Amino acid sequence: MSWPGGQPASAGRVEPAWNDVRHWMRPGTLQLQSLPPLALYIHLPWCLKKCPYCDFNSHEWTATAAPGEALPEAAYLEALRADLAASLPLIWGRTVHSVFIGGGTPSLFSPAAIDQLLGDVRAMLRLEADAEVTLEANPGTFEKDRFHAFREAGVTRLSIGVQSFNDTHLKALGRVHDRDQAEAAVEEAARAFDTFNLDLMYALPGQTLADCEADVRTALSFAPPHISIYHLTLEPNTWFAKYPPTLPPEDEAWDMLDRITELTAGAGLQRYEVSAYARNGHRCWHNLNYWQFGDYLGIGAGAHSKLSFAHRVVRAVRVREPRLYMERAVAGNAAVSADEVPRKELPFEFMLNALRLRDGFTLQQFMERSGLPLSSIEPALTRAAQQGLVERDAARVWPTARGFDFLSDLQGLFLPD
Ligand SMILES: C[S@@+](CC[C@H](N)C(=O)[O-])C[C@H]1O[C@@H](n2cnc3c(N)ncnc32)[C@H](O)[C@@H]1O
Ligand code: SF4
């Protein structure tokens, strides 16, 4: 169901509201024996400057604000409160295991605003006592002690968008920070937090294998408990899609990935997901929950949710444009769509996530979280095993090294006919 204008489409027929829990709880063909763990995602949509490769829902504040006008922190927090309040019927009685404050650039918000936000969340939801609470932070958006203040506000894990430590490549990526600021941010994170993540990208315009290796070595010199390393992709509707930079050839990008995997392994970080490397005990709970097809409520501009009910899995999306989002959220009307995932698409949706994990998934997990019988994936699993893309035992299925390298082919085996 979509409500592009903010109202349910009615051609003589009244559509149920996106948060009408009785509608989602009515009988259906799926049988979910229990509901999966639940996480909360909060989107803060503003950045200092839009990066040319970025297709996230992020907006330059100065593009629409009056000169000198500050971020509308209070109004946005009010919208988030209203959005969360309107969403509560969909998650009544459930405990939230993690919170991820992502963006955009959440570190543009003041520690006082983050403190208020987490206070609101705790007042409205049952948050597990030792819940992981991650905040995304960009170098160049903090002054000394800011990270410490985020920690005081209840953030337990910082994720820093470093991307590269090389000034030439940072410039090519249109980043606002330089190497010194990246290093200062990582040092500060290591001081203020027991666990943190660095985001890097590779296969950058003009990057050589030696440059990539230098970036990874610099990152590892800070002994990070977690690193995420993404292959730079040219996303539709970005500046780079329109004016593509020259990127390293594909075989060089593969060499870079091999080097990244070797260097991180040598530093005691395990590649537990296609792009994620962690020391023991430092895997990201929140992201693991996505990959294990857990539930998440997403609030904030453009945020996505995936919520399970006894007989269906529902995906919802919030209004993307921040000002419109604020208007509609306070009216209890932030969702632009809420749709049941069609039964035949569930195997592919599940595999899109679960096969990104080195440990794969248990057959029990598949049945519990999709509500489908194993027979719905048996033929595709057999084909995947015959092609050497997965291995399995009586309880578990996991991708082989070849499966990891040809992940889209592997996932494609589970597409509906
Ligand atoms: C939600 S984004 C933004 C986090 C933060 N605002 C920043 O830019 O540092 C999370 C990560 O996705 C990665 N990313 C964003 N766009 C990408 C692209 N086109 N290709 C590969 N990775 C990308 C970057 O590493 C980025 O840190
Ligand atoms: S800072 Fe991050 S979210 Fe903002 S435009 Fe750049 S990549 Fe996108």
Side-chain angles (χ1 to χ4, degrees):
M1 279 171 287
S2 303
W3 306 291
Q7 293 302 318
S10 61
R13 170 173 68 100
V14 179
E15 294 281 6
W18 63 276
N19 58 356
D20 179 351
V21 69
R22 280 171 313 173
H23 176 68
W24 301 123
M25 287 181 70
R26 74 194 191 284
T29 61
L30 301 179
Q31 301 298 334
L32 278 75
Q33 303 299 339
S34 59
L35 298 183
L38 175 66
L40 176 68
Y41 175 78
I42 305 175
H43 194 74
L44 306 188
W46 290 291
C47 294
L48 287 177
K49 182 168 166 279
K50 182 80 181 175
C51 302
Y53 56 87
C54 175
D55 78 334
F56 286 85
N57 186 33
S58 54
H59 304 258
E60 284 182 22
W61 167 242
T62 47
T64 52
E69 192 182 341
L71 274 187
E73 284 186 338
Y76 198 74
L77 291 190
E78 189 192 342
L80 289 173
R81 264 192 303 276
D83 191 354
L84 184 54
S87 313
L88 288 180
L90 301 177
I91 54 164
W92 275 143
R94 297 178 68 179
T95 300
V96 170
H97 297 266
S98 67
V99 180
F100 195 104
I101 307 173
T105 305
S107 53
L108 285 178
F109 274 57
S110 64
I114 300 299
D115 185 50
Q116 169 81 54
L117 172 60
L118 290 175
D120 293 342
V121 166
R122 284 181 201 281
M124 294 168 85
L125 290 175
R126 188 160 69 207
L127 189 57
E128 216 175 51
D130 62 347
E132 177 188 275
V133 181
T134 304
L135 178 115
E136 282 185 337
N138 285 24
T141 61
F142 83 105
E143 68 277 0
K144 189 130 180 48
D145 294 336
R146 192 173 177 87
F147 288 178
H148 191 75
F150 285 137
R151 174 158 190 162
E152 295 285 292
V155 173
T156 64
R157 180 175 183 273
L158 211 66
S159 177
I160 307 170
V162 169
Q163 317 312 344
S164 170
F165 289 99
N166 178 310
D167 280 335
T168 308
H169 297 140
L170 285 169
K171 231 182 224 121
L173 290 173
R175 299 294 295 195
V176 296
H177 69 267
D178 60 17
R179 179 191 175 106
D180 290 347
Q181 285 170 312
E183 290 190 344
V186 181
E187 275 165 12
E188 187 72 6
R191 248 196 306 273
F193 287 88
D194 300 330
T195 193
F196 63 94
N197 168 60
L198 303 188
D199 273 352
L200 291 180
M201 293 193 295
Y202 73 97
L204 308 178
Q207 192 180 40
T208 63
L209 179 59
D211 295 333
C212 170
E213 179 164 339
D215 262 353
V216 177
R217 285 191 188 280
T218 307
L220 293 174
S221 70
F222 296 98
H226 193 290
I227 306 192
S228 302
I229 312 184
Y230 305 102
H231 185 304
L232 174 68
T233 48
L234 299 189
E235 300 291 343
N237 304 316
T238 58
W239 180 266
F240 272 5
K242 210 165 161 195
Y243 305 102
T246 309
L247 298 175
E250 212 178 309
D251 55 339
E252 251 171 64
W254 280 109
D255 290 345
M256 290 182 194
L257 180 59
D258 287 344
R259 203 74 197 101
I260 289 165
T261 311
E262 274 168 35
L263 289 168
T264 46
L269 294 160
Q270 212 196 1
R271 186 180 181 199
Y272 70 103
E273 187 264 350
V274 174
S275 310
Y277 304 76
R279 261 183 235 299
N280 279 342
H282 290 274
R283 293 181 179 194
C284 174
W285 196 96
H286 188 88
N287 286 341
L288 267 174
N289 188 50
Y290 290 147
W291 297 319
Q292 292 174 340
F293 215 51
D295 276 3
Y296 49 94
L297 172 67
I299 60 170
H304 290 237
S305 305
K306 177 233 164 206
L307 294 170
S308 304
F309 300 87
H311 304 295
R312 60 189 42 75
V313 175
V314 174
R315 291 201 177 277
V317 182
R318 302 291 193 260
V319 187
R320 270 178 79 87
E321 203 285 310
R323 286 185 196 266
L324 188 59
Y325 166 78
M326 289 194 279
E327 265 171 40
R328 285 193 34 181
V330 289
N333 192 20
V336 273
S337 67
D339 296 289
E340 187 170 334
V341 180
R343 181 186 168 96
K344 63 178 187 338
E345 288 173 17
L346 273 166
F348 180 63
E349 290 242 350
F350 181 92
M351 299 303 168
L352 218 44
N353 290 285
L355 290 171
R356 296 181 64 88
L357 290 169
R358 173 71 77 203
D359 295 343
F361 60 92
T362 64
L363 297 172
Q364 184 65 27
Q365 238 169 14
F366 172 78
M367 290 186 289
E368 270 177 20
R369 298 186 179 187
S370 68
L372 292 169
L374 270 189
S375 55
S376 60
I377 50 167
E378 261 317 328
L381 275 185
T382 306
R383 237 171 301 141
Q386 282 164 350
Q387 294 176 19
L389 299 171
V390 296
E391 280 188 70
R392 60 190 291 188
D393 60 22
R396 181 174 283 281
V397 176
W398 62 94
T400 57
R402 185 179 150 78
F404 244 27
D405 286 347
F406 297 95
L407 189 57
S408 345
D409 296 339
L410 168 56
Q411 290 160 332
L413 295 175
F414 297 87
L415 276 166
D417 295 329

